[in-house]
Amino acid sequence: MTYRVVFLVPAAIFLGSGAFAKDTSYIGSVEAISGDSAADMARGTVFADGNRNSKLDDGEAGIEGVLVSNGREVVATASDGTYELPAYDDMNLFITKPAGYAVPMDEMLVPQFNYVHKVAGSPALRFGGIKPTGHLPAAVNFPLVEDNSARVQFECLVFGDAQPYFNMQVSYVRETAGKMLAARDNSDTECLVFEGDVMGDDLSLFPRFKRIIAVGDTPQYYVGGNHDLDFDAADDQHSFDTFRREWGPEYYSFDVGNVHFVTLDNVRYPCNGVDDHPFCDPSARPTYNGVIHDRQLEWLANDLANVPADKLIVLSAHVPFQTFTDNTAAKHQTDNLDALVAVLGNRKVLGLSGHTHTTENILTGEYYEGWEENTGVGPAPFHQIVTGALSGSWWSGSLNDDLVPGANQRLGSPRGFYILNFDGSDYVESYKSFTHSHEEQFHVSFNSPRYRGWVEKLAGYVDLHGRDRGSVLPPVSVNEMGDVNMLTRSDLNGGSWAVVNVWNGTRDHKVMLSISGGAAFEATRTQSGTGEAKLRSIEASDPYAIFRQFNDTRRAIASSSGNDGYEMFRGSIWTGAAGPLDSWLWTNSSQHLWTADLPADLPAGVHGLTVTVTDRHGREFSDTIAFEIVEEMPDMTWQESFWQ
């Protein structure tokens, strides 16, 4: 497709100046000074590391006003940079990186702003957790150097679930995020934020993931997801111990420009016997719940008490605060969102999350069935973005031109990531696909009677045979659909409509269509976001995404080695006849779909359909596709009868 894009917002928000290239050469660590191990208070100094050796040397000055926390209390450093906090046997001692300063990073560009204190260490865990630290050091000192992060215009890249379960899927991360980061100019990029499910359960793969992402030469910040857990932990206190060892605290904050970034942990594991849900019953299989524990809410209140009211608060969590995809589920939303909202008050907030492998751009006040019952809040209390998945639909389906699974996401968006451009406390969000040009923001297809009949046959086949369909051939394939952009007179008379999937679509987007240069007409968003139930049907589906999801050829791969099909989750092998992915991966509903009826009296012939999308920031994206009207469907195969 060829897209025309017109930017109607200030260019400074989208175009980096290039004059403030980051300094990513500050490699070091937090300094722990051994001494009196019987101390019941944590003490130390936040200081300007003049010689960049991560040690508080004679003559190096303390820095006043830096926030330091033990995960509950928060204090600001005194005029000489010193702090004092109550100590706990299991805590993260960390600072909030102030704007205008950089913390040291390790060799893989993971910021070093915390000291993990766990006197007895982790219990025996598969992936090691945290070794015993013993008693508290006499001092824990936090080095800083001045940098350009006080500037008000900058960008961050945000990635949803990478979720590689094994090394081949880590290679897919390299061929998508790694390839993009290596080729991109990241000089104006202040942070890479990963919204959880960094791994797919095998935490031994963390180091390789770090090496891949480090090619972006940008500080990396991580959220813990439900697949980053120590699943053999008996209680939530230890469930993120390996994550803490590799990445840092489960929750923390840092400042860039006029933005206060807050990372939250809203994955309680196991929730069994703790949370009042049937899936958390003590007799049920150990599982997680989307909830923010009380200690963390106390920390957040103490943290925000020190943050000026004019700062934008960017919250990151793994489980969505609210989600269209799992709108009636408690487990997949934050079930005490009301308590979080009470802490936030009337601050300007942007909420980011992952988990659902979908893109959802939910504006304040939008509302779907099930939210109030499952989160304690009805209409969205602040702007929320479910950021999609680096892995798309769990690295499923046929390989694309880059030899990476296509894996369109469940609401139809391609695999990709978000760019957040900040200007003071204002921001613009953009979704970028790994498989399309960065100007492309939507795709177009047609829902016709012929399409609906084809989907119905394949859906019945999957419903009957499920994942165990083995070698049972599907009743039809993508070949039976033939030319998806050819419509018959019968299709028009039976009801056909154009379907536009705007990957980053919001309530405030406008979608206009024009046929062959005729008068423009407006498409209608299929979900209004006014409290209604989710539509889920063939009529509410995205044909373009369905075609991709119904053509899983990798499942049919076979060889004499016996290495048939392909691996998905935790060693599970998907094999059998080529055909549709499992039905839970289909785009038979979407929060960002627009439709417009096609006139039944369109003349036979080839027509141009021009689609123009104007996003909530006034940016305009346009594309024209060709489609064909015929009185009757011609024979779409080689006409053998001519040659007999």
Side-chain angles (χ1 to χ4, degrees):
M1 294 183 180
T2 302
Y3 276 71
R4 172 175 59 87
V5 57
V6 179
F7 294 116
L8 301 178
V9 292
I13 293 182
F14 297 97
L15 303 177
S17 65
F20 299 100
K22 300 185 304 296
D23 176 6
T24 54
S25 64
Y26 185 36
I27 306 300
S29 62
V30 170
E31 182 185 29
I33 304 295
S34 60
D36 180 8
S37 60
D40 60 357
M41 298 291 287
R43 298 179 176 87
T45 303
V46 179
F47 66 98
D49 188 11
N51 59 9
R52 301 165 73 98
N53 68 350
S54 301
K55 299 181 184 299
L56 178 56
D57 298 315
D58 291 342
E60 290 183 328
I63 302 174
E64 182 179 6
V66 178
L67 301 184
V68 190
S69 179
N70 55 14
R72 188 189 301 269
E73 290 86 8
V74 177
V75 298
T77 53
S79 58
D80 61 354
T82 59
Y83 69 88
E84 183 176 274
L85 281 162
Y88 303 101
D89 285 347
D90 188 352
M91 68 175 182
N92 299 311
L93 190 64
F94 59 93
I95 65 169
T96 296
K97 183 200 81 67
Y101 288 90
V103 300
M105 292 178 286
D106 67 12
E107 291 77 4
M108 295 296 104
L109 302 186
V110 177
Q112 304 296 296
F113 58 89
N114 77 290
Y115 174 79
V116 176
H117 178 61
K118 197 174 181 81
V119 174
S122 303
L125 296 173
R126 180 185 298 109
F127 297 109
I130 299 166
K131 293 180 180 179
T133 60
H135 293 294
L136 196 66
V140 177
N141 300 324
F142 296 96
L144 294 172
V145 295
E146 291 189 46
D147 73 351
N148 293 305
S149 63
R151 57 186 173 128
V152 296
Q153 293 182 357
F154 65 96
E155 70 176 17
C156 289
L157 309 187
V158 184
F159 303 87
D161 309 39
Q163 207 165 331
Y165 285 87
F166 46 90
N167 262 310
M168 190 63 227
Q169 292 184 342
V170 178
S171 294
Y172 295 150
V173 173
R174 183 195 66 223
E175 291 303 306
T176 50
K179 181 178 178 180
M180 179 275 296
L181 289 169
R184 188 176 185 274
D185 179 2
N186 298 313
S187 58
D188 283 324
T189 309
E190 286 290 340
C191 56
L192 308 178
V193 181
F194 290 83
E195 298 293 336
D197 282 1
V198 184
M199 277 300 117
D201 304 335
D202 184 353
L203 308 189
S204 71
L205 300 176
F206 274 150
R208 186 177 174 215
F209 188 96
K210 287 182 187 180
R211 291 195 296 272
I212 290 169
I213 302 305
V215 303
D217 198 32
T218 300
Q220 310 166 33
Y221 293 91
Y222 287 86
V223 178
N226 58 288
H227 289 279
D228 300 315
L229 295 162
D230 286 294
F231 284 106
D232 46 346
D235 56 62
D236 192 51
Q237 180 181 355
H238 308 294
S239 65
F240 272 128
D241 278 4
T242 299
F243 179 93
R244 291 167 66 191
R245 183 193 74 213
E246 294 290 330
W247 305 111
E250 317 95 298
Y251 57 94
Y252 56 92
S253 61
F254 63 96
D255 286 344
V256 182
N258 203 42
V259 182
H260 186 64
F261 291 88
V262 175
T263 291
L264 298 174
D265 164 19
N266 66 346
V267 180
R268 172 139 57 211
Y269 175 87
C271 66
N272 305 71
V274 180
D275 293 320
D276 187 21
H277 297 295
F279 58 86
C280 295
D281 188 272
S283 63
R285 179 181 177 180
T287 191
Y288 65 90
N289 181 36
V291 65
I292 303 170
H293 56 67
D294 291 343
R295 182 183 74 249
Q296 192 174 175
L297 289 171
E298 182 180 348
W299 164 78
L300 181 60
N302 292 331
D303 175 78
L304 293 179
N306 293 276
V307 177
D310 67 331
K311 277 188 179 286
L312 170 67
I313 309 299
V314 175
L315 298 178
S316 283
H318 177 62
V319 176
F321 303 102
Q322 295 167 312
T323 171
F324 168 83
T325 302
D326 294 304
N327 59 309
T328 59
K331 184 176 186 177
H332 303 300
Q333 302 181 92
T334 303
D335 74 6
N336 63 340
L337 178 59
D338 53 342
L340 174 62
V341 170
V343 172
L344 294 171
N346 60 359
R347 289 177 177 271
K348 183 177 181 179
V349 175
L350 168 63
L352 307 173
S353 63
H355 189 59
T356 59
H357 295 241
T358 58
T359 58
E360 304 177 29
N361 199 336
I362 300 165
L363 300 184
T364 304
E366 196 167 348
Y367 183 26
Y368 292 100
E369 176 189 53
W371 282 4
E372 187 165 8
E373 296 85 342
N374 292 291
T375 71
V377 179
F382 49 80
H383 183 197
Q384 303 170 40
I385 301 176
V386 183
T387 59
L390 199 161
S391 62
S393 286
W394 294 265
W395 305 113
S396 63
S398 301
L399 301 181
N400 63 19
D401 289 348
D402 296 323
L403 300 182
V404 174
N408 271 50
Q409 299 179 65
R410 288 192 289 167
L411 300 189
S413 301
R415 291 181 298 103
F417 62 99
Y418 270 88
I419 300 177
L420 295 179
N421 293 96
F422 296 95
D423 188 351
S425 60
D426 296 324
Y427 59 92
V428 173
E429 74 282 0
S430 304
Y431 186 70
K432 303 298 183 182
S433 166
F434 288 118
T435 52
H436 300 72
S437 74
H438 278 191
E439 288 72 33
E440 294 184 50
Q441 294 293 301
F442 61 89
H443 58 246
V444 186
S445 53
F446 298 101
N447 190 313
S448 66
R450 184 164 59 97
Y451 160 76
R452 295 191 289 274
W454 174 79
V455 172
E456 189 172 356
K457 290 177 183 177
L458 282 171
Y461 159 76
V462 172
D463 288 344
L464 178 63
H465 298 288
R467 187 176 295 176
D468 298 325
R469 49 190 180 268
S471 60
V472 180
L473 293 175
V476 292
S477 72
V478 291
N479 297 327
E480 273 76 15
M481 267 304 294
D483 185 346
V484 298
N485 289 339
M486 177 180 283
L487 303 172
T488 66
R489 185 65 55 197
S490 176
D491 284 332
L492 294 179
N493 290 332
S496 294
W497 52 89
V499 180
V500 183
N501 193 320
V502 184
W503 309 328
N504 188 33
T506 71
R507 176 190 63 202
D508 290 352
H509 275 59
K510 188 174 184 178
V511 178
M512 301 296 295
L513 290 79
S514 174
I515 298 175
S516 298
F521 54 99
E522 188 168 358
T524 302
R525 190 180 181 214
T526 59
Q527 299 277 178
S528 65
T530 54
E532 79 275 14
K534 178 168 60 178
L535 300 175
R536 185 188 293 275
S537 66
I538 296 173
E539 289 74 18
S541 67
D542 173 1
Y544 176 87
I546 291 288
F547 293 142
R548 301 292 302 277
Q549 294 156 350
F550 277 31
N551 190 31
D552 180 10
T553 56
R554 276 205 299 160
R555 193 188 294 260
I557 291 173
S559 69
S560 60
S561 70
N563 187 17
D564 301 342
Y566 63 97
E567 187 176 352
M568 279 288 289
F569 319 109
R570 287 190 167 194
S572 67
I573 302 297
W574 286 23
T575 187
L581 294 169
D582 291 6
S583 57
W584 61 278
L585 295 172
W586 302 349
T587 306
N588 55 11
S589 68
S590 184
Q591 178 251 7
H592 42 76
L593 218 60
W594 277 257
T595 63
D597 290 337
L598 295 175
D601 60 353
L602 275 175
V606 178
H607 300 270
L609 177 66
T610 298
V611 178
T612 301
V613 173
T614 305
D615 75 4
R616 75 186 195 96
H617 302 289
R619 294 178 293 179
E620 186 180 285
F621 305 88
S622 185
D623 182 42
T624 298
I625 67 168
F627 69 104
E628 191 171 357
I629 302 297
V630 295
E631 296 301 328
E632 293 184 356
M633 186 63 63
D635 187 340
M636 302 299 286
T637 62
W638 174 257
Q639 299 188 53
E640 183 66 27
S641 61
F642 290 165
W643 307 95
Q644 292 175 347

